[in-house]
Amino acid sequence: DAGVIQSPRHEVTEMGQEVTLRCKPISGHDYLFWYRQTMMRGLELLIYFNNNVPIDDSGMPEDRFSAKMPNASFSTLKIQPSEPRDSAVYFCASGYGTAYGYTFGSGTRLTVV
Amino acid sequence: SQQGEEDPQALSIQEGENATMNCSYKTSINNLQWYRQNSGRGLVHLILIRSNEREKHSGRLRVTLDTSKKSSSLLITASRAADTASYFCATEAAGNNRKLIWGLGTSLAVNP
């Protein structure tokens, strides 16, 4: 298994541009999480899905952020328009049930200039 | 919001010594999990302990959980330079919500 796959690994964009981050979870996992990590705020949960359905999006900072999971093997996190304060590492993680912990992707380092 | 608080924030030891990290949390939990993060990489799940368990082992790792004190500890025995990383605890609150609440981590440096 290739693990959780995120793309791109690095993204540099100008303020105001749309950014789309992608995630392919591990096959068979029924939970998918999007996190953001910064030095100041640590790890923050943005949204999570169960069986492709969004369950808790209370961590999504504002309407500029949206996430979708059209099928069990793909999810996107979109920021439109992007702002410099969105600069962070964004992680996707997937898991099965609650007994085994979660597998994280390598992350996307986003820089908004 | 951060529920878990790791202690200490940073720890520096010599190879071969044991490393102990602590985590405190605020609410009732289903389980508590420990993860490792190497610099610039994703998080790696180490061990999960359920609220009805008191101790768990995995290789050189030993985790304890005291629900009365709302605290957990992670012990790494016979540390190696490769154990150098940040270690995070995460709690899954009691109930059906699978949201994990994370601490800010302990930065461990193991010196050869």
Side-chain angles (χ1 to χ4, degrees):
Chain A
D1 197 330
V4 176
I5 300 172
Q6 291 187 246
S7 64
R9 286 297 310 273
H10 302 274
E11 177 81 36
V12 180
T13 191
E14 291 186 347
M15 183 172 63
Q17 295 298 306
E18 177 180 295
V19 175
T20 299
L21 311 181
R22 297 173 177 79
C23 175
K24 177 179 168 54
I26 290 174
S27 177
H29 281 186
D30 55 352
Y31 285 89
L32 184 140
F33 303 81
W34 281 101
Y35 285 95
R36 177 170 69 177
Q37 186 178 36
T38 61
M39 289 293 292
M40 292 297 294
R41 300 169 68 94
L43 267 165
E44 301 173 277
L45 176 67
L46 301 176
I47 185 171
Y48 81 91
F49 297 82
N50 179 218
N51 292 322
N52 314 338
V53 176
I55 302 299
D56 187 332
D57 66 354
S58 59
M60 297 285 263
E62 45 200 274
D63 292 346
R64 298 184 298 107
F65 286 68
S66 63
K68 294 182 180 178
M69 192 165 186
N71 57 62
S73 59
F74 184 65
S75 178
T76 59
L77 177 68
K78 186 176 293 186
I79 308 172
Q80 165 64 16
S82 57
E83 296 182 2
R85 60 191 167 122
D86 302 330
S87 297
V89 181
Y90 290 81
F91 288 105
C92 174
S94 71
Y96 180 71
T98 185
Y100 307 106
Y102 300 108
T103 302
F104 279 73
S106 298
T108 295
R109 182 174 294 277
L110 173 66
T111 304
V112 183
V113 297
Chain B
S1 64
Q2 301 291 338
Q3 164 162 248
E5 292 185 9
E6 288 94 340
D7 166 49
Q9 288 188 326
L11 182 61
S12 182
I13 60 174
Q14 295 300 121
E15 210 165 21
E17 293 180 340
N18 295 342
T20 299
M21 288 159 268
N22 303 297
C23 170
S24 60
Y25 57 92
K26 297 186 175 81
T27 64
S28 296
I29 61 172
N30 286 334
N31 63 67
L32 184 144
Q33 304 177 31
W34 285 92
Y35 289 78
R36 182 188 74 228
Q37 184 178 34
N38 290 85
S39 180
R41 308 290 293 272
L43 287 88
V44 175
H45 177 255
L46 296 176
I47 201 164
L48 179 152
I49 186 165
R50 294 184 179 82
S51 59
N52 62 353
E53 297 176 312
R54 292 296 166 259
E55 188 171 314
K56 209 160 181 180
H57 297 254
S58 177
R60 293 184 296 113
L61 305 181
R62 173 176 168 255
V63 169
T64 62
L65 179 65
D66 186 335
T67 52
S68 66
K69 295 181 180 178
K70 292 187 169 57
S71 67
S72 172
S73 67
L74 170 67
L75 168 67
I76 304 173
T77 60
S79 64
R80 305 167 182 168
D83 296 328
T84 295
S86 292
Y87 291 81
F88 294 86
C89 74
T91 52
E92 183 181 292
N96 291 323
N97 195 321
R98 296 289 171 254
K99 179 189 297 190
L100 288 181
I101 307 298
W102 297 80
L104 293 175
T106 291
S107 178
L108 173 66
V110 181
N111 305 304

